[in-house]
Amino acid sequence: MKKIIDEKGRLFGKVSVIDIVVLIALIGLGYGVGYRNASPAIQQLLTADKTFYVTLVSEKVRQFSVDAVEIGDVFFKQHERQPLGSVADAYSAGSLDIMTKPDGTAVLAPVEGRYDLYIVIEATGSVTESGFFVNGNMLVSEGSEFTVLSNRIMLTVATVHEVSEQLPER
């Protein structure tokens, strides 16, 4: 019966164990270099040097919530406690909802005492072909929903209304 490794350090008497270890190390090094060169988007995420604007909307909030947001406030994504950015602009509009009239028709009508709150956050991050990234890895795109908070308010549902490289006009 043959030994797995003979007295000369060869596997089954044919291939040197040292040669196999060197071959595995070279293959690993090759994959590492290839991954690094094939992933420029990942490298770009590490340099958060672009300023862009994220407009969040929180629907049907009370006047208290509208009053609790001021320019310069810093907002965070809940649980991560890393800043999204500071408020560059904030405004509200009357909230609308679908109401059914007595004749059965549906109309879009204002909701008394409720507002749609728009918060424009000035963020610093990366802009890649894949989108806008805050804090290195958090993709911010239209339609995304977050729970955000500042030192004065928490909005349980804030939807990304718009993301742009220019401060949006009202």
Side-chain angles (χ1 to χ4, degrees):
M1 185 159 112
K2 279 189 161 180
K3 293 181 180 179
I4 295 177
I5 299 177
D6 67 9
E7 60 279 343
K8 292 184 180 178
R10 293 182 295 188
L11 194 61
F12 299 111
K14 297 182 183 207
V15 181
S16 169
V17 174
I18 294 173
D19 291 341
I20 292 173
V21 170
V22 169
L23 182 64
I24 291 172
L26 288 174
I27 290 171
L29 183 63
Y31 275 115
V33 169
Y35 177 78
R36 182 175 176 203
N37 292 335
S39 304
I42 291 173
Q43 289 179 359
Q44 188 173 5
L45 291 178
L46 300 176
T47 56
D49 59 352
K50 301 283 186 200
T51 299
F52 52 90
Y53 298 89
V54 180
T55 304
L56 302 172
V57 62
S58 190
E59 298 177 343
K60 297 180 183 72
V61 299
R62 297 184 184 129
Q63 185 65 45
F64 168 81
S65 298
V66 173
D67 295 340
V69 178
E70 293 183 3
I71 299 204
D73 287 350
V74 176
F75 271 84
F76 302 85
K77 184 177 176 190
Q78 185 184 25
H79 302 301
E80 295 180 12
R81 293 304 292 173
Q82 291 183 345
L84 290 173
S86 60
V87 176
D89 193 12
Y91 56 94
S92 63
S95 192
L96 301 174
D97 202 356
I98 297 173
M99 303 286 179
T100 305
K101 293 172 48 174
D103 66 0
T105 59
V107 295
L108 199 56
V111 179
E112 190 172 328
R114 298 296 178 142
Y115 305 91
D116 292 346
L117 174 60
Y118 294 85
I119 303 170
V120 181
I121 305 279
E122 182 178 317
T124 302
S126 299
V127 180
T128 69
E129 293 174 2
S130 303
F132 296 86
F133 291 84
V134 178
N135 296 325
N137 63 357
M138 183 173 46
L139 176 64
V140 179
S141 60
E142 291 181 20
S144 300
E145 290 185 350
F146 301 113
T147 298
V148 294
L149 55 110
S150 71
N151 289 335
R152 293 187 255 181
I153 188 172
M154 182 170 95
L155 301 169
T156 55
V157 179
T159 305
V160 177
H161 179 69
E162 177 183 3
V163 183
S164 64
E165 294 187 57
Q166 304 290 323
L167 181 64
E169 294 183 25
R170 290 190 204 188

